[in-house]
Amino acid sequence: LSEKMLDDPLLLTAVRELSAHDNPRVRRQVAYSLGQSGSRDAAEALASIAASDGDDVYLRAAVLSPVNRTNVAAVLAAYTATKKKQGDLFPQLLSLAARLGDDRGVEAAFRAVLTRAALNDDTRFTDLALLLNSLDQHPTWTMQRLDAQMVTTLRNWNNEALRVLSDSGQSDETLLAALQLLGRRERKATRGLLRSGTNRHEQTLQQIAGLITADRSVAVQTAAVGALGRTAQKQAANLLLTRWDRVGPSPRAAILA
């Protein structure tokens, strides 16, 4: 009943205080109601519920359903700034910001990826891969909207991911993250953002294929096969065939899939 009046600061404050209520059904309704307000306070309250109840499937749905084009930037920024979280709604919020947001929402998505990278460097490759894949579903966004400094940062990350593949001392976890970024099909929105030139593209495919060897774990081999497949490049198919004799049953099954 109060949703149409949430522009009233006093009423919004009263509703926001209920976001910490002991009853999860109350918190769930608060999330739905807060989505009717476009204010920053409402967005911060939604982010607070997301952080404290992110491992509750019903509350997670209640938080995500009211996130929209107008409030996604504020919700994502507030959630990213929250230190203690139950569960992790960052991937879903990041994807929503990229797919649904206006320029402000997309900018907030890139800022959130940079913020997470500063706190935990291991997340940057997977976060950036998710963001770029989501942007390729955006109806109008193009990479020309990024400023030169951001483009340089992203290309540096791509170069570091390439260096990870050639470093024999890297952990499987880091290799798998790098493969998510490097093994993606570039579509209209992000084509040419991370790499340019035929030689550079071929180098990336060759380095991914180099992981498909019995010297690597089955998880890395299988991920590398998947990464090559996602690029949808003719050369990738040829590279997969050249690795056939170097791997066991599981990677071979992935090649045929």
Side-chain angles (χ1 to χ4, degrees), residues 3 28-38 42 46 49 58-72 75 93 96 100:
E3 290 174 355
R28 188 160 64 242
Q29 182 56 56
V30 169
Y32 285 127
S33 298
L34 287 172
Q36 304 304 310
S37 171
L46 270 175
I49 296 174
Y58 298 107
L59 277 162
R60 186 163 62 238
V63 168
L64 292 175
S65 66
V67 174
N68 56 59
R69 182 182 181 89
T70 61
N71 67 5
V72 64
V75 174
L93 290 171
L96 284 172
L100 304 179

Side-chain angles (χ1 to χ4, degrees), residues 8 13 122 131 178 189-190 256-257:
D8 183 324
T13 297
D122 292 340
L131 174 54
T190 60
L256 293 175

Side-chain angles (χ1 to χ4, degrees), residues 1-163:
L1 295 176
S2 67
E3 290 174 355
K4 295 181 180 180
M5 299 179 285
L6 285 177
D7 289 337
D8 183 324
L10 292 177
L11 182 57
L12 179 58
T13 297
V15 172
R16 181 175 180 175
E17 289 175 353
L18 293 174
S19 63
H21 196 280
D22 291 340
N23 191 325
R25 295 177 62 185
V26 173
R27 298 198 301 276
R28 188 160 64 242
Q29 182 56 56
V30 169
Y32 285 127
S33 298
L34 287 172
Q36 304 304 310
S37 171
S39 74
R40 179 169 294 277
D41 283 345
E44 290 177 353
L46 270 175
S48 176
I49 296 174
S52 60
D53 294 293
D55 54 356
D56 183 310
V57 62
Y58 298 107
L59 277 162
R60 186 163 62 238
V63 168
L64 292 175
S65 66
V67 174
N68 56 59
R69 182 182 181 89
T70 61
N71 67 5
V72 64
V75 174
L76 177 60
Y79 182 82
T80 305
T82 303
K83 294 182 179 180
K84 294 183 179 180
K85 302 181 180 72
Q86 296 291 328
D88 187 8
L89 286 186
F90 183 83
Q92 292 95 319
L93 290 171
L94 182 68
S95 182
L96 284 172
R99 289 186 289 112
L100 304 179
D102 51 17
D103 283 354
R104 190 166 62 92
V106 174
E107 180 184 352
F110 277 106
R111 284 201 308 270
V113 169
L114 293 176
T115 299
R116 284 245 297 187
L119 298 173
N120 182 3
D121 197 49
D122 292 340
T123 67
R124 57 181 174 157
F125 297 147
T126 52
D127 286 349
L128 182 56
L130 172 61
L131 174 54
L132 296 181
N133 287 335
S134 299
L135 281 174
D136 276 329
Q137 300 176 50
H138 196 288
T140 60
W141 192 87
T142 62
M143 60 171 283
Q144 284 71 30
R145 299 186 186 184
L146 287 178
D147 61 55
Q149 183 177 1
M150 178 64 75
V151 170
T152 298
T153 297
L154 301 183
R155 287 179 173 166
N156 286 340
W157 285 12
N158 190 74
N159 293 337
E160 290 173 28
L162 281 170
R163 286 193 289 271

